Amino acid sequence: MKEIVIISGKGGTGKTTITAALASLVKNNVIADCDVDAADLHLILNPDIRQQEDFFSGKTAFIRQGDCTQCGKCVEVCHFDAISPDFVVDPVSCEGCGVCVAFCPAYAIDFNQNLCGQWFISKTRFGSLVHAKLGIAEENSGKLVSLVRKQAKQMAKKENAEYIIVDGAPGVGCPVISSITGASAVIVVTEPTLSGLHDMKRVVSLAGDFFQLSTFLCVNKADLNPDITEKMMEFCDTNGVHFAGRVPYDESTTRAMVEGKNIFEFKPGPAAAAIREIWAEVEDTLRGNKN
Amino acid sequence: MIISVASGKGGTGKTTIAANLALALAQNVQFLDCDVEEPNGHIFIKPEIEKTTTIGTPIPVVDEGKCTYCGKCQKICEYNAIAVILKNVLVFPELCHSCAGCWLICHENAISTRDRELGVLEQGKANGIDFVHGRLRLGEAMSPPLIRRVQQQLDMSKTIIIDSPPGTSCPVIQAVKHSDFVILVAEPTPFGLNDLKLAVEMVRTLKLPLGVVINRSDIGNENVRNYCQMEGIDILMEIKNDRKIAEAYSRGIPLIEIEPDYADRFRELYAQVERRVAR
Ligand code: SF4
Ligand code: SF4
Ligand code: SF4
Ligand code: SF4
């Protein structure tokens, strides 16, 4: 079983569009949406939810005013400025460290687990999907990402799936680290812009140098700036990154999205053809037919 | 006044709006790039960096000479970042949230601290704009403490424009919670609408006033506009999908430079925000 994670560094490069395309191209796969903060994949996959579970993680302090003697100890020990001068905890600032709870001489502080979101197991027309929704303003997205991947792995074992296709989280911080740790390969989807180049280098070095993962690069809307696309290919050459291919700008991509279809189902244009080639390249490399 | 520019998802044009707004005002402006995972504002504002500071966060160091292996530090740590195993205290630096619990609770004074590097803070200037951004160290998982440090540079005598990180979870909250107004940038597509709804919910949780800028306004469909109308959210500005704009963006050229008309439109955007905050 191979777990392929599609990430982007910067958002909006077409990561989810390409994930949705790969999900239909790769037969015998389980799909996981780890972009739990702003999940979009379900808009294309139209999941039929079969199982729904609550996700609890982290805790928040709550001061019972009736028991509080206003001694001020909690304000003094809270390193996150989460407690107001009149001893009310701001749940948004509270990091759930529990230090105030441990130090309160009056035992006046409750410390309960937060309901941070939900996760789901669904059926879709391209295979089983594990996905999640993080509550607004919640933390611990990294833990929810790990949970989604764990469930997807169990599902893949049960179904004897060859691949898990993962829509990874954006950025280079906690959720993306949780998305890629221990994966079989990472496909970075980027755009040929200066910001794209900048972010791509950061996320490639995170995946390749830091986590030693087999890394592929795919340049979306490659024709927007051929010079930068060229630079990105050179970067791959000198940094041990597999260049998986270019996807041309194709306005049917947005039109497919509006209709809730992936690009193969809509009207396969140049972008669809390019993604087919990219997958062939990735699969060949992973099977060791190429290096 | 503090204006944050945010979006449910990156790549919607958040940095374009934030940077061009700053460049169009170009007077008494401070630009804070709080998108510390992928700071891109500098590409368009092109500041001369005058000061670079390494930012760290304290993590425990245990003096085993003083330690009695009582286990109190392990017990207080909510993040499993410190463990007492037989006659050993192990610290897992990357799990530590710097809550100070362990060194406050240790009765033997056995815990001192050292810094784990979070990233760097860079400050500089570019034609009338004070520029600040943070850059998260690769491999560092926690961005909110670095965002907090970027925000400590706030200069309230100026008009402050914050380029916020994308999403709706802890990093964004940290970036936008002190704002007077939040501009949400969205594309009129199904993904765009989905991400906008999440972002609106986030801003409403914080009880901040907000408005929407629609980028690439002529792609997709009408659903974002319908949603805004239904929710009583003002659309402050629309920017067309234009290959020329996209190409200039790709080369790091600000929109107001290739389409000078936009300078006035961004100043008008600012005036609209100002009116709404004054209300
Ligand atoms: S430490 Fe406990 S008793 Fe003291 S002010 Fe805080 S909540 Fe009240
Ligand atoms: S749990 Fe930690 S962050 Fe929350 S209020 Fe108590 S000390 Fe502050
Ligand atoms: S609390 Fe202090 S004395 Fe106790 S185990 Fe931890 S470091 Fe050692
Ligand atoms: S500072 Fe807080 S999070 Fe870090 S090891 Fe000590 S108790 Fe744990």
Side-chain angles (χ1 to χ4, degrees), chain A residues 61 77-80 82-83 89 93-101 111:
Chain A
V77 296
C78 177
H79 269 53
F80 303 100
I83 306 177
V89 176
S93 302
C94 176
E95 287 259 332
C97 69
V99 175
C100 58
V101 182
F111 198 42

Side-chain angles (χ1 to χ4, degrees), chain A residues 33 38 94 243 247 286:
Chain A
D33 190 352
C94 176
F243 186 76
V247 180
L286 291 178

Side-chain angles (χ1 to χ4, degrees), chain A residues 63 68-74 87 104-106 108-109:
Chain A
I63 298 176
C68 169
T69 62
Q70 312 218 325
C71 73
K73 188 72 190 171
C74 53
F87 312 111
C104 172
I109 308 181

Side-chain angles (χ1 to χ4, degrees), chain A residues 194 209 257:
Chain A
L194 279 181
D209 305 341
M257 191 205 291

Side-chain angles (χ1 to χ4, degrees), chain A residues 4 9 14-16 29 40 44 51 73 82 99 111 158 165-166 169 193 228 249 260 266 270 288:
Chain A
I4 318 289
K15 170 176 71 65
T16 299
N29 73 149
D40 285 330
I44 304 292
Q51 187 186 341
K73 188 72 190 171
V99 175
F111 198 42
K158 207 163 78 191
I165 302 292
V166 183
T193 62
I228 296 182
Y249 177 78
F266 185 67

Side-chain angles (χ1 to χ4, degrees), chain B residues 62 67-73 84 89 105-108 110-111:
Chain B
V62 178
C67 175
T68 58
Y69 309 103
C70 71
K72 284 201 176 120
C73 50
V84 185
V89 186
I105 203 91
C106 178
H107 289 293
E108 311 300 329
I111 305 183

